[in-house]
Amino acid sequence: MNPLRRRIRLEAAQLAGAYPGLRIADDDSWIIVPEFRLPAGWEPTRTTVLVVVPVTYPESAPDGFFLGSRLQRHDHSGLGGLGGLVDPGHYFHGFNNPYADLGYVWYCLEDPYRRWNPRLDSLLTFVEAIRTYLGTAD
């Protein structure tokens, strides 16, 4: 097994400790994180996350991710706290999506400052960045 595949498999195995049922493509091109607990304000409270591993990994971070297609967020724009449910921003149903038939929607994870460091970051840090981002975005 080449070093890149070994790294991806090791990182997937580490993630599987926190996400039993995690699946990885035979060619290591994607991972599926089941039962991903969403931050407060999301409905439902859990979803499946699909991360496409870029060909240039680990030099390049994954470019966004895919979430289950039936997610909504509480609208916090009204007075008095939680409002009704709305579609999240950065959640693109119509984006060029090869996984739409499987029930996934593209979610854009922006990293304008290019903070990804291939020596320090991994699929583990990316998945945790998803949770952080979903808790602060929109």
Side-chain angles (χ1 to χ4, degrees), residues 68-71 87-88 91-97 100 104-106:
S69 63
R70 302 185 191 275
L71 296 176
D87 284 337
Y91 188 61
F92 300 106
H93 289 272
F95 186 73
N96 180 16
N97 178 358
Y104 292 99
V105 174
W106 172 252

Side-chain angles (χ1 to χ4, degrees), residues 39-120:
W42 287 83
E43 293 291 335
T45 59
R46 293 180 185 262
T47 192
T48 300
V49 175
L50 186 149
V51 176
V52 176
V53 181
V55 175
T56 55
Y57 186 82
E59 286 76 25
S60 300
D63 181 26
F65 52 93
F66 295 87
L67 294 172
S69 63
R70 302 185 191 275
L71 296 176
Q72 292 189 304
R73 289 180 58 119
H74 288 278
D75 181 10
H76 296 287
S77 63
L79 297 176
L82 294 179
L85 293 172
V86 297
D87 284 337
H90 302 275
Y91 188 61
F92 300 106
H93 289 272
F95 186 73
N96 180 16
N97 178 358
Y99 305 103
D101 290 345
L102 299 174
Y104 292 99
V105 174
W106 172 252
Y107 200 98
C108 180
L109 175 61
E110 298 172 348
D111 182 17
Y113 302 109
R114 305 279 187 238
R115 294 184 181 148
W116 179 265
N117 181 334
R119 290 178 310 226
L120 302 175

